[in-house]
Amino acid sequence: FLSTGTTVSEGQGSVLLQVALSAPSGRAVTVEVAASGSAELGSDYTLAQTILEFPAGSVVAELVVDLLDDPFDEADEDLVLTLGNPANAGLGTAQSITLTLTDDDPTPKLSFVQSALQVSEGDGTATLGLQLSSPSASDITVPISATGSLTADQDFVALPGALVIPGGTTTA
């Protein structure tokens, strides 16, 4: 690879990477490209090819990584591309490149579904809903507590210690 690392936004679309031979060869050269890292093939990126071909006399081959934008707030992810199994050439020192895919989605904001809820004693269950402004890739755990003049287990059933909004959803 002509570089060892770069940072790109997941919404960038695609990245063009170049792999170079140290000198032209009189024969066609091929090299395999393997992918690893925290980024996932099919949900974070796609590769149109996993074998690069250098025609005889050529010194540069190009690899396109298509980035897939998602709607989830998530941590930045790494895609490591590594060259291997060359035919008609050897491997140089820059055998891999790390692409850091930065998240471009907003941090979700938490709010109640209702701004107020009024119930009378004996009405039964009152449900308070929580919502996120946008989905997160991870579960969101919200600590729950109650304050005021009511007494737990006399005026209401005690609330659980936390509520979980599952990753990929916006409500609980």
Side-chain angles (χ1 to χ4, degrees), residues 110-115 117 126-131 163 165 171-172:
L110 180 67
S111 63
F112 284 105
V113 173
Q114 313 92 330
S115 61
L117 182 64
T127 302
L128 292 172
L130 293 175
Q131 65 186 4
L163 180 69
I165 300 175
T171 60

Side-chain angles (χ1 to χ4, degrees), residues 16-44:
L16 177 66
L17 303 172
Q18 294 185 321
V19 177
L21 299 174
S22 59
S25 172
R27 297 186 293 176
V29 173
T30 60
V31 63
E32 294 177 10
V33 179
S36 61
S38 59
E40 294 183 25
L41 178 65
S43 60
D44 295 312

Side-chain angles (χ1 to χ4, degrees), residues 86-136:
N88 299 322
L91 291 175
T93 56
Q95 297 175 18
S96 66
I97 185 170
T98 300
L99 297 177
T100 300
L101 310 180
T102 58
D103 184 50
D104 63 354
D105 301 299
T107 301
K109 307 241 182 313
L110 180 67
S111 63
F112 284 105
V113 173
Q114 313 92 330
S115 61
L117 182 64
Q118 184 175 359
V119 295
S120 298
E121 285 186 22
D123 278 354
T125 302
T127 302
L128 292 172
L130 293 175
Q131 65 186 4
L132 293 173
S133 58
S134 60
S136 172

Side-chain angles (χ1 to χ4, degrees), residues 137-152:
S138 303
D139 291 351
I140 302 292
T141 301
V142 181
I144 300 292
S145 63
T147 60
S149 61
L150 300 177
T151 304

